[in-house]
Amino acid sequence: MGRAIVTKADVAKERGVALEAVQPGAPGEADGYLDRLVKYVPAEVIALYLAVQTAVEGLQRGGQRQVGGILVFAIFVAGTWFWLKKTGVARTTQIAISIGAFAVWALATSGGPLAAFDLAADARKWGAVLVPLFTFATAPIEPGR
């Protein structure tokens, strides 16, 4: 299973059949709801971000911690795009949703860039609300070419 989402249109084109003949979620068919949900969340990027963010939070000076936290978050937002491209994701919709998923998960798990300003507790509370809402809203989206 690759990272790129396989749509019904992809399967129909590959097999030379009508779009209506393709069943989502069946083995060897287009990705269903749960497959898209898993592929939208860049778990490996989030894991690496959390490790780096923990080191940044350990900085003693507030100014260094603030700049470092914002810089690390920005680097990982851009890094998510590069990582997805490297792993074969070509659709802009999937990349945009995955970057949004990274931002929401970073907010929910570490406070994201707000942790640098001692707002991590509030950010995590909002993140706990945003993760299910974001997931519910985006997982049904089937990206087009």
Side-chain angles (χ1 to χ4, degrees):
M1 168 164 104
R3 169 142 313 273
I5 292 176
V6 179
T7 65
K8 291 191 295 185
D10 294 335
V11 174
K13 183 178 177 183
E14 180 181 314
R15 293 185 181 168
V17 298
L19 190 62
E20 296 78 29
V22 178
Q23 298 298 316
E29 296 285 346
D31 288 335
Y33 178 86
L34 292 176
D35 297 315
R36 288 191 305 271
L37 175 67
V38 169
K39 290 180 179 184
Y40 279 144
V41 178
E44 59 274 28
V45 176
I46 294 167
L48 183 59
Y49 169 77
L50 290 175
V52 173
Q53 182 65 16
T54 300
V56 169
E57 287 175 3
L59 293 173
Q60 296 300 317
R61 295 181 135 156
Q64 288 179 349
R65 197 173 52 153
Q66 290 172 344
V67 171
I70 293 168
L71 186 60
V72 165
F73 181 78
I75 289 169
F76 273 85
V77 166
T80 301
W81 182 85
F82 284 109
W83 176 252
L84 292 172
K85 285 292 192 176
K86 182 178 181 206
T87 58
V89 177
R91 292 183 172 98
T92 305
T93 304
Q94 184 179 350
I95 292 171
I97 290 172
S98 293
I99 289 172
F102 164 76
V104 169
W105 276 92
L107 192 68
T109 55
S110 74
L114 298 178
F117 298 96
D118 296 323
L119 298 170
D122 290 334
R124 286 186 194 118
K125 290 174 188 172
W126 279 108
V129 171
L130 291 175
V131 165
L133 291 175
F134 186 86
T135 302
F136 180 76
T138 58
I141 298 171
E142 186 175 335
R145 283 217 181 249

